[in-house]
Amino acid sequence: GAGVSQSPSNKVTEKGKDVELRCDPISGHTALYWYRQSLGQGLEFLIYFQGNSAPDKSGLPSDRFSAERTGGSVSTLTIQRTQQEDSAVYLCASSLQPGLAGEDTQYFGPGTRLTVL
Amino acid sequence: ELKVEQNPLFLSMQEGKNYTIYCNYSTTSDRLYWYRQDPGKSLESLFVLLSNGAVKQEGRLMASLDTKARLSTLHITAAVHDLSATYFCAVDLAAQKLVFGQGTRLTINP
């Protein structure tokens, strides 16, 4: 596709429910990232996938958060037992070739706004 | 722990004026990015700065990098209303994990 796409654009859920957020990266991009943007914490790195390597999960805030990337393309971020502090905009990004100058710019999707009531 | 600090956080200026946004970071990195975010929108890549002394320009925006001072600047020349947005700098921590500054909300008044 032309850019990174994410769905849904908005998600309202009740505390304690599980949610799944989807990201479709730019075709051909090998790396995929999830970030979270909230008023209190700004933009935070969550998780990074590169090719077939094990993901870098160092930014996940708790074990309620998990993500997978199937077939090296689409990714799903799952939040279990949502809490009100999980409310934020979840942004996905992809890059063509991390570490390669000129090819490693991260392009961001429109985000999913998650509201936990 | 890498920290990235921008200043100012809020900037209101008149059209036609010049101003500079500063981005300081705490540890060595070889990549610095500038992004723009419009209200309710995602992040748009503006510049990638890869080496000490790098300077890039696009229209009325110019970005520079001083890796020794751990400082990047985003200079706005003869501002126009369309440049109103929030601007973020981001530093590559490792393996492409970006650490973002707090953002500078720029408002340009006619």
Side-chain angles (χ1 to χ4, degrees):
Chain A
V4 178
S5 61
Q6 292 185 244
S7 61
S9 55
N10 282 283
K11 177 71 177 179
V12 180
T13 191
E14 293 179 346
K15 178 181 172 181
K17 296 286 181 68
D18 298 352
V19 295
E20 286 188 350
L21 313 180
R22 177 187 167 104
C23 171
D24 277 283
I26 294 172
S27 178
H29 279 198
T30 64
L32 186 147
Y33 313 79
W34 284 96
Y35 293 85
R36 177 168 72 172
Q37 186 173 26
S38 60
L39 283 176
Q41 301 297 324
L43 273 154
E44 306 171 277
F45 165 81
L46 296 177
I47 188 168
Y48 159 53
F49 295 89
Q50 167 56 27
N52 295 321
S53 302
D56 179 342
K57 305 179 182 180
S58 60
L60 294 179
S62 78
D63 59 8
R64 296 185 295 104
F65 288 72
S66 63
E68 62 178 20
R69 188 181 185 192
T70 54
S73 181
V74 171
S75 177
T76 302
L77 177 68
T78 301
I79 309 173
Q80 296 178 310
R81 305 180 303 281
T82 52
Q83 304 295 312
Q84 288 183 332
E85 61 263 28
D86 299 334
S87 296
V89 176
Y90 289 82
L91 293 166
C92 176
S94 69
S95 68
L96 181 60
Q97 192 63 259
L100 184 63
E103 305 291 350
D104 56 4
T105 297
Q106 294 182 29
Y107 296 92
F108 283 78
T112 294
R113 181 175 297 277
L114 175 66
T115 303
V116 182
L117 301 176
Chain B
E1 179 188 351
L2 174 60
K3 293 186 179 179
V4 182
E5 295 187 347
Q6 289 181 234
N7 73 84
L9 300 184
F10 298 92
L11 177 56
S12 180
M13 54 193 290
Q14 287 188 315
E15 281 190 328
K17 301 290 187 182
N18 304 332
Y19 211 80
T20 300
I21 300 170
Y22 298 88
C23 174
N24 288 89
Y25 54 99
S26 60
T27 61
T28 302
S29 175
D30 60 359
R31 279 169 171 75
L32 189 138
Y33 302 81
W34 283 96
Y35 285 88
R36 167 180 172 150
Q37 186 175 39
D38 292 292
K41 304 292 185 182
S42 192
L43 295 161
E44 173 190 354
S45 175
L46 295 175
F47 301 110
V48 180
L49 301 168
L50 300 175
S51 61
N52 188 41
V55 177
K56 290 195 174 178
Q57 183 165 4
E58 181 71 35
R60 300 175 188 273
L61 300 177
M62 183 173 71
S64 66
L65 179 62
D66 181 343
T67 58
K68 294 180 181 177
R70 297 175 186 165
L71 170 68
S72 180
T73 62
L74 180 66
H75 187 74
I76 303 146
T77 302
V80 293
H81 179 68
D82 286 352
L83 291 179
S84 296
T86 299
Y87 292 86
F88 291 91
C89 64
V91 177
D92 185 348
L93 176 61
Q96 290 285 293
K97 291 187 290 188
L98 296 182
V99 178
F100 285 84
Q102 311 97 308
T104 297
R105 183 177 297 180
L106 174 64
T107 303
I108 298 170
N109 304 303

